[in-house]
Structures are given as C-alpha cells and as structure tokens.
Amino acid sequence: MRTLTGLQPSGKLHLGNYFASIKQMVEAQNGGEEMFMFIANYHAMTSVGDGVKLKNATYEAASAFLALGIDSAKSTFWVQSDVKEVLELYWILSGYTPMGLLERAHAYKDKVAKGFESKHDLFSYPVLMAADILLYSSNVVPVGKDQIQHVEIARDIALKFNNAHGEILTLPEARVDEFVATVPGTDGAKMSKSYGNTIDIFADAKTLKKQIGKIVTDSTALEEPKEWKNCNIFTIAKLFLNNDEQKALAARYEKGGEGYGHFKAYLNDVIWEYFKEAREKFEYYNANHDILDEILDAGADKARKEAVKLMDKVRNATGIYR
C-alpha cells in the first residue's frame, strides 16, 4: 500500500498541519507503510507571490518535516517542482475534468468568500492535487475532513480517464483520523494560516505565548467551575495528552479556582516540551541547506522513477509519443 501526502510551504507549520497530517505520516512510515511525502511548492504559488519568500519557505518546510520525524531513508521525500511530470499530468487530466466538478469545490468557494482573488490557479487547484495523487499510483491519502472532497475529485477524474483508456490510474482512498480530523485554531474555527488563527510548531517562546494568549474563551470568573468540553484551550491540549492527563485537566476545570490564564500557561508548557527535540533538529537543518539539498535531490530521483513509469502509460494512451 502506498500512502501520499503533501503540505504547502506557504508559511510556518502549525499544530493543524502536524496533527491532521504529519503525525499520521510519521506513524505510518515507522509502521512499515510505503510513504510518499512532498513539499507542495506549486500549490503554494496560489497564495505566495514572492519568489524569495517561497524559496526560503520551502527550505523551512523541508527542515520541519525532517525535524518532526520524516525519515528520508524510509520514505520518499521531495519537493513537488523537482518532478516536472506532475505538470504534464495536470494538463492531460484537465481534459478529463468537467467544469461542474471544479465549480462545486468547497475550498475554492471558501477562499474566494474570504477575499482571495478569483484566479485560474486557485480554481484548478484540485486538478493539480489530483495529478499529485495519481502520478505516484497512491492508494491512500491522509486528509482532514475538509480535504476529503479533493480526494473524491481525484477519483472522479481518474475514473473518467480510465473509462477512456483502460485501468491506468489507481483510484485513491481518503484516510481521516476522526479524533484529530479538524484541529481548532485560537478562535475555535479550523486552524489555518489563511485565517490567522494558528499556533506555530517552531515559534520562539515569546511568539508561542502570544499565540496561545489569543485563544478565545468565555468570561467565567476565576473562582467558578469551568466548562471544558467546548473550551478551545482544552480541545487543543488534549491532542498532546493521554487519557489520564485529559481527566486530570478536566478535573481542574470542574474544580474552579483557576482562570483561563492558568490553563493557557499549562498549554504553553505542554507544547514547548513536546516539540523540544524537534526544534533543535529544525534549527540544524535550516542552517545547513547543503545537507537539505542532498536529501531532497535523492528523494526527487526516487519519486521521478515512479512518475516516469506512470507517464509512459499515460502518454502512450493519449498519443503523446514524443
């Protein structure tokens, strides 16, 4: 079974990225699954127009993935743009993608509603994502609930292509971890860079404290018992805690005598300690781009070999013979 995922280098990695995707990938990798993981820098161009910023963000993302447990010896790990076949497949698949399919895409409508400029790259984003998935004959794609539709679109496109040319493209399945499918941000909505509600994994101590301080709470007085079930602080904290630790934290809420500031301070300590080792590795890789380049080049070579196998079949089926 081959599992694939990609994350954009369009900003600092946050808790949503980690718990909804990266953590699953590391666990699957260490469990013996065949893992393909890439940095989606073409996708990032829909929101990042500064070339220098995108280049630096790509290195930062590579450093972060390695620091958080991606092992280039166990997984195929590369930068999306290093395998140009993805753009060729993107164009070919566009000919099998009904406009209505893209017009129903939630991500596009949501972003336009939030003020993003309506552009072709944003509109055709699901086709490029389909190319990412199908190029490597991926069986499983770990996603949050809001991304399930993109995997379904990839399946629909693959079915149309296969109906025309035979069973060439593998139909992928979405994998959702129900417990952490959607990680809440500081405002209670889905954690997203686009919404400005993130808690960043590799933030310095001052920034982390500031971000956690923005978590929205109610106005219950310090001495009063507090509702933990719908508290944003508790919902984020439980991602890091085992059952006993969750029960202990819930008991503190119910007892009263502590304000939300105490619980924010507790969450700050939990996050800082959890990512301590990863922060050290991140700083090392991000300061040694030559080492990163070697790792990424090797990963791109492995990914390209798989991409060429598929594209030979696609070109033969579609008549692209030169």
Side-chain angles (χ1 to χ4, degrees):
M1 180 184 299
R2 178 172 294 171
T3 304
L4 175 139
T5 196
L7 283 175
Q8 291 191 34
S10 52
K12 309 295 184 182
L13 289 181
H14 54 72
L15 300 186
N17 299 140
Y18 179 72
F19 283 105
S21 185
I22 299 173
K23 187 172 184 286
Q24 294 182 48
M25 290 294 289
V26 172
E27 291 173 349
Q29 162 196 272
N30 294 339
E33 286 190 32
E34 184 182 16
M35 312 303 299
F36 275 55
M37 187 169 191
F38 66 95
I39 300 170
N41 58 338
Y42 281 140
H43 286 295
M45 293 178 72
T46 62
S47 56
V48 181
D50 185 318
V52 173
K53 182 179 179 181
L54 181 56
K55 179 180 178 180
N56 291 336
T58 300
Y59 275 121
E60 284 190 11
S63 301
F65 288 155
L66 293 170
L68 291 169
I70 294 301
D71 186 339
S72 59
K74 296 178 180 179
S75 298
T76 301
F77 177 56
W78 77 102
V79 176
Q80 182 185 27
S81 61
D82 281 339
V83 182
K84 304 300 182 186
E85 284 81 2
V86 72
L87 295 182
E88 182 180 2
L89 184 58
Y90 162 68
W91 176 250
I92 292 172
L93 294 180
S94 294
Y96 299 83
T97 307
M99 288 292 288
L101 191 63
L102 298 182
E103 289 168 349
R104 293 192 295 272
H106 303 313
Y108 172 75
K109 291 187 286 188
D110 290 346
K111 287 193 174 182
V112 171
K114 290 185 177 297
F116 280 72
E117 183 181 357
S118 177
K119 300 183 298 178
H120 176 263
D121 60 353
L122 195 61
F123 184 72
S124 64
Y125 187 106
V127 186
L128 181 55
M129 183 176 285
D132 291 321
I133 296 168
L134 300 173
L135 182 60
Y136 303 102
S137 301
S138 310
N139 304 106
V140 175
V141 184
V143 292
K145 286 183 178 179
D146 62 315
Q147 290 286 319
I148 292 175
Q149 187 188 45
H150 284 310
V151 181
E152 293 173 343
I153 289 173
R155 285 179 60 89
D156 289 343
I157 296 172
L159 281 168
K160 285 186 174 295
F161 184 93
N162 287 349
N163 286 339
H165 302 292
E167 299 301 311
I168 294 174
L169 302 178
T170 299
L171 301 185
E173 298 285 347
R175 178 196 289 162
V176 179
D177 185 333
E178 294 294 336
F179 179 62
V180 293
T182 300
V183 178
T186 55
D187 57 359
K190 177 200 171 187
M191 188 173 291
S192 171
K193 291 182 283 289
S194 301
Y195 305 156
N197 64 355
T198 62
I199 296 175
D200 298 336
I201 296 171
F202 298 112
D204 58 43
K206 182 178 179 180
T207 302
L208 180 62
K209 183 178 180 180
K210 182 177 180 181
Q211 290 177 337
I212 291 174
K214 293 180 179 179
I215 296 176
V216 175
T217 60
D218 61 35
S219 56
T220 304
L222 184 148
E223 65 275 5
E224 296 294 323
K226 294 169 182 62
E227 172 61 56
W228 54 268
K229 290 183 180 180
N230 297 311
C231 176
N232 293 329
I233 302 170
F234 187 92
T235 303
I236 296 171
K238 74 178 183 180
L239 297 170
F240 299 89
L241 306 178
N242 61 35
N243 288 335
D244 289 340
E245 290 167 336
Q246 290 181 39
K247 290 178 181 178
L249 181 59
R252 288 173 59 185
Y253 270 77
E254 294 170 354
K255 181 179 180 181
E258 292 186 272
Y260 288 114
H262 294 95
F263 297 125
K264 288 180 180 181
Y266 169 76
L267 176 62
N268 188 98
D269 291 342
V270 168
I271 294 174
W272 188 259
E273 182 61 28
Y274 186 91
F275 291 112
K276 180 180 179 180
E277 183 178 344
R279 272 195 307 277
E280 294 172 355
K281 291 181 178 179
F282 172 76
E283 292 171 1
Y284 168 77
Y285 283 120
N286 204 36
N288 292 277
H289 287 182
D290 55 332
I291 294 175
L292 278 180
D293 284 334
E294 290 181 8
I295 293 171
L296 295 171
D297 287 346
D301 288 342
K302 289 167 63 178
R304 192 176 300 109
K305 289 177 181 177
E306 295 300 315
V308 168
K309 291 178 186 177
L310 189 281
M311 287 309 300
D312 284 346
K313 297 177 183 179
V314 170
R315 292 186 189 115
N316 182 61
T318 57
I320 305 298
Y321 68 98
R322 302 187 60 172

